[in-house]
Amino acid sequence: MKQEKVLPAAITIFGAKGDLARRKLIPALYNLYADEHLPDQFSIFCVDFLTIEQGAYRDWLLEGVDQFSRTGKADRQKWAQFSKSIIYIQGDFMQAATYTTLKTAIKKFEDTEKVRGIRMFYFAVAPRFIEPIADALCNNKLCNRDTLDRIVVEKPFGTDLDSAKKLNRYMSKRFKEKQIYHIDHYLGKEMVQNIMAFRFANYVFEPLWNNKYIDHVQISVAEEVSVGKRGGYYDSSGALRDMIQNHLLQLLCIIAMNCPKQYEAEAIRDEKVKVLKNIRPFTTEQVFKNVVRAQYTAGRVHGEDRPAYRDEEQVAKDSNTETLVAAKFFIDNDRWKGVPFFLRTGKDMPRQSSVIMIQFKDSPHKIFKDDVLPNRLMISIQPELEIGLLFEGKEPGLHMKLVPVEMDFMYKGNYMQSLPEAYEALLLDVLEGDATQFMRADQIEWAWKVVMPIIEAWKKSPKKGLQFYEAGTWGPKAADALLKPHAKAWYTFDHESEGATTPAAFDDSHAPSRVDGNGTPEMSNPAEKEAEQETSHA
Amino acid sequence: MKQEKVLPAAITIFGAKGDLARRKLIPALYNLYADEHLPDQFSIFCVDFLTIEQGAYRDWLLEGVDQFSRTGKADRQKWAQFSKSIIYIQGDFMQAATYTTLKTAIKKFEDTEKVRGIRMFYFAVAPRFIEPIADALCNNKLCNRDTLDRIVVEKPFGTDLDSAKKLNRYMSKRFKEKQIYHIDHYLGKEMVQNIMAFRFANYVFEPLWNNKYIDHVQISVAEEVSVGKRGGYYDSSGALRDMIQNHLLQLLCIIAMNCPKQYEAEAIRDEKVKVLKNIRPFTTEQVFKNVVRAQYTAGRVHGEDRPAYRDEEQVAKDSNTETLVAAKFFIDNDRWKGVPFFLRTGKDMPRQSSVIMIQFKDSPHKIFKDDVLPNRLMISIQPELEIGLLFEGKEPGLHMKLVPVEMDFMYKGNYMQSLPEAYEALLLDVLEGDATQFMRADQIEWAWKVVMPIIEAWKKSPKKGLQFYEAGTWGPKAADALLKPHAKAWYTFDHESEGATTPAAFDDSHAPSRVDGNGTPEMSNPAEKEAEQETSHA
């Protein structure tokens, strides 16, 4: 579907020879172009330190598109058209000359098009380059029109509250808040956006969405991948900073927030900030009671040998960095008082599964003696996209006997076309000036405030409570024990194996009957899967 | 699954040469036997006026099983075993000798088994025989042990409030209330029983189940069949007496009732009676405003020519009997004040469809401009067995655009075995002494009280407001107009044709995306369909 075209766009990618540019940004821009979502006039300025010929650079990008684009191999004719607009600019991010060259190139594009359109600057760079690039953009007046010029920054947004505040202050002296798009690609995911529609366009869920009816919430992002080549960055970060502080707390906000006044960036982000502000802060003692951290040891995932975390490249042999976190949070407001929000993420787990599970309370008055199953609403974000409601029905037959059944809505089967990737949606949002799915500076700071007590407690006692789990398992027992008495095990969405909906979570292993019959998952290419998870760019 | 066996049973069917016995009762008993649900010792005494040899009678029944049983042709070996227990007793229901013969036969069975077990007397007879048979059973002390002896009576239970009261009084002088099982086979249907489980074993529905969240309820039993050979009975009855007074009001009770104290016959029926008592009575003027009656004219159903009702066998050429009723009821209690319950039933409609649709209210605060669709819970009772929730989701793609989607739970695909028929469940209930799915005398009287103002208003003005609709259509416009402003057309469940979920009911023909991919309906044999609907025995 062709949307209304936006102004001409001068798009600059800093870090153009990096993984993110090749795996995500260029494939996303190419798909936006192919689907006619880009403006008719656009140019992509690709800035990086390495020297490479224009043609060789474009070929390197084309290989990336062929390998990582959701649409598969690029159409050669479309690519030829598209790639004409790609201009590689060799330059050191720390050198003034780089920005002079860039400015000349952008001006030339704008002079040709006779319109001063949108300028987007994508910071696909290591954190240490953010401030110098921002400063240079400011000094060169490259990003000075607040209605037209936009900066896109990738996480990590600082490494703790102080550094995040410092970074925000630095940026806010140079740009207007509304010019800065803090990207959290989880917010661009189809199913995550659908949660907003699901919650706020359907009045039947709102009456149930509170501590009177909800027992607890589980938000789990299990990753099949290991730390891979990201050891250098990861070892100084860990799962708490890499996943919980951003992705998982953002998912928590979407589940817990009140309905915004309007579907509009400021109103939505105001409501999300309110949630973060209301999360109960941990004392040091509470950290060790409510947060489990663990690190993987050698094991096997899908029959593939995996080394221990401490044997990964660029990881310290005595590292205490966590590759798995499970935490129990409470939100101290009227709606959520007393409802635990369990968050878990880990690497080297048996399979990829990003899910949200909302478990409802049991009826205060039961009339069936075999009514043992609480209702559950299950939202699978990836790899499957699905919403399901677990309930009890009558088992067909001559007597009234209850059996767990599921009502499902699946994207598969309903929507046959390949779904746009998060980066496509988010890059188009930036071009259109829609900040709805981006994080505001205060959101980032409040999210840091939530995790700071954990960071500090672990810093003080680096080994205290650190657990180990074998690669290819669902993590240490302590992570399951955290759920008590609300559940016995973490919910993991499994559409392939009948009844694997954590039967352990129920006393008598009720295996729900499933409406199934669909084929393989939407996203089954292992390269794609890896790319989907390879979100940072150390 | 083998249930605990009950006491030996002497089962008597009065009206043993009738359609009900052949199409429903014997196939149900045979299937109960085949699935090992009958007691080890049982005998079936088949009483009717006609003279027929034992062997010929059994053969005639076997043909019926072969044709009408849900399990298809009977297993010859099992039938041979089963049919040994069938004893045909020729006798006039009005003659004392009949009961003497019957008593001797039952005594002989009980003497052989050396146990005085259960006695069940099934009245599959025209209404005029009910009292004489009951009287004879009483006089012969055939049904005098209130814990063991049971009578099963089929509708019609009288033809109006007075006759129903008279009949109840007559019976209550001869038997204990708990001995009398008033059968409404709709209550034995799998999905109808499932509604009880759905409502009362799942706490997520209860908070929504009231006038704050529900806009209106539609209960629709559309029949594809015409009046067929039932003209003689039907012409003096009509759709109001034949369907609304019993089946549809019972469905209304199940949707509207409060949770019973226990899942137990008296508690459940107490709650149902409360609903009937709270239905707002019509004045004569209100009858003509809130109740639409119509009669079919000649037309075509599934390409088959159908005569006008007035041209059916045994129907008066100037008959004003209604073959379709649509009515709007209100229940004046805290839960339902202001929520219309729309009931509709009709013959010669385009296809069979028994559905309940609960439409929820719209959100008081909408944040999406394209949020136009109210949530709907849809319960399909037959021919498909399905529960679905219509909601709005995000259309996959780069922008936030809402689209109607459905969460479904289907029996098909989840339960592969053929489901027991209503009569199997209900006959076993009688043998087990479980009256949960049967109507109590006061329920019947209260249901008559609800329809009496309509009967009287129509009697006073036999032609006033009578509409006509062509066979093979969904009825007169007036039946749709009754729904205003809550809906534009009656909801008709249609799983085959995408988007046929009454698009007319929504301004902009939103066609929900469906999770489908199943084959043909469970019940696709036309003979079976007809039998399913051929419920009376004039």
Side-chain angles (χ1 to χ4, degrees), chain B residues 72-262:
Chain B
K73 256 176 99 90
D75 177 297
R76 264 36 194 174
Q77 210 168 344
K78 278 188 186 161
W79 173 261
Q81 280 298 323
F82 170 76
S83 63
K84 274 189 207 159
S85 302
I86 297 177
I87 294 149
Y88 186 77
I89 297 177
Q90 190 280 328
D92 186 330
F93 305 143
M94 310 302 278
Q95 298 291 330
T98 305
Y99 304 93
T100 320
T101 315
L102 177 62
K103 189 167 186 170
T104 310
I106 291 176
K107 285 276 186 199
K108 190 179 158 200
F109 164 74
E110 288 169 351
D111 288 348
T112 312
E113 301 302 340
K114 296 193 181 80
V115 187
R116 168 66 163 88
I118 307 288
R119 292 182 188 170
M120 182 207 292
F121 300 94
Y122 203 111
F123 286 41
V125 297
R128 70 175 184 281
F129 293 118
I130 295 177
E131 296 186 2
I133 296 174
D135 196 48
L137 289 181
C138 185
N139 292 339
N140 286 282
K141 294 198 170 54
L142 272 161
C143 186
N144 58 341
R145 294 215 191 162
D146 59 20
T147 55
L148 292 174
D149 302 342
R150 293 143 205 181
I151 282 169
V152 188
V153 195
E154 278 273 341
K155 67 160 191 175
F157 311 115
T159 55
D160 56 17
L161 179 59
D162 284 345
S163 58
K165 276 185 172 170
K166 189 173 152 281
L167 179 61
N168 284 339
R169 260 199 312 271
Y170 190 94
M171 299 297 273
S172 70
K173 279 182 193 156
R174 285 158 181 83
F175 313 101
K176 292 267 162 56
E177 164 78 39
K178 72 168 185 177
Q179 291 183 273
I180 306 165
Y181 289 73
H182 298 100
I183 204 166
D184 181 334
H185 74 287
Y186 257 68
L187 298 180
K189 285 184 187 290
E190 192 56 51
M191 188 50 99
V192 174
Q193 293 191 59
N194 197 13
I195 297 171
M196 295 283 284
F198 186 76
R199 284 198 57 199
F200 301 126
N202 297 288
Y203 194 39
V204 290
F205 303 111
E206 184 60 20
L208 305 168
W209 219 259
N210 55 60
N211 59 4
K212 187 168 176 197
Y213 298 109
I214 292 180
D215 178 76
H216 75 278
V217 175
Q218 291 182 26
I219 300 173
S220 166
V221 176
E223 295 185 299
E224 200 177 295
V225 294
S226 67
V227 74
K229 291 175 185 164
R230 296 172 62 216
Y233 152 74
Y234 198 90
D235 204 35
S236 65
S237 166
L240 183 73
R241 285 184 174 91
D242 191 47
M243 298 292 289
I244 301 278
Q245 189 269 343
N246 36 68
H247 306 322
L248 278 88
L249 281 179
Q250 287 304 307
L251 294 178
L252 178 146
C253 285
I254 291 172
I255 294 298
M257 70 192 280
N258 287 335
C259 183
K261 280 199 198 102
Q262 307 158 54

Side-chain angles (χ1 to χ4, degrees), chain A residues 190 194 202 392 394 514, chain B residues 190 194 202 392 394 414:
Chain A
E190 192 58 50
N194 197 14
N202 298 288
E392 285 182 308
K394 178 186 173 297
R514 307 281 322 220
Chain B
E190 192 56 51
N194 197 13
N202 297 288
E392 287 181 308
K394 179 185 172 297
N414 282 290

Side-chain angles (χ1 to χ4, degrees), chain A residues 123-243:
Chain A
F123 286 40
V125 297
R128 69 178 186 281
F129 294 117
I130 294 178
E131 296 187 1
I133 295 174
D135 196 46
L137 290 180
C138 184
N139 292 339
N140 285 281
K141 293 196 170 58
L142 271 161
C143 186
N144 58 341
R145 295 213 191 163
D146 60 19
T147 56
L148 293 174
D149 303 341
R150 292 143 203 181
I151 283 170
V152 188
V153 195
E154 278 273 340
K155 69 163 189 173
F157 311 115
T159 55
D160 57 16
L161 179 59
D162 284 345
S163 57
K165 275 185 172 170
K166 188 172 153 282
L167 179 63
N168 284 338
R169 261 200 310 272
Y170 190 93
M171 299 297 272
S172 69
K173 278 183 191 156
R174 286 158 182 81
F175 313 102
K176 292 265 161 59
E177 164 78 39
K178 73 169 184 176
Q179 291 183 273
I180 306 165
Y181 289 74
H182 299 98
I183 205 166
D184 182 334
H185 76 286
Y186 257 68
L187 298 181
K189 286 185 186 292
E190 192 58 50
M191 187 50 100
V192 175
Q193 294 190 58
N194 197 14
I195 297 171
M196 294 284 284
F198 186 77
R199 285 198 55 199
F200 301 126
N202 298 288
Y203 194 39
V204 290
F205 303 111
E206 185 59 21
L208 305 168
W209 218 258
N210 55 61
N211 58 4
K212 186 166 178 198
Y213 299 108
I214 292 180
D215 178 76
H216 76 278
V217 175
Q218 291 182 26
I219 300 173
S220 166
V221 176
E223 295 185 298
E224 198 177 296
V225 294
S226 67
V227 74
K229 291 174 184 164
R230 295 172 64 215
Y233 151 76
Y234 198 91
D235 204 36
S236 65
S237 166
L240 182 72
R241 285 184 174 93
D242 191 48
M243 299 292 289

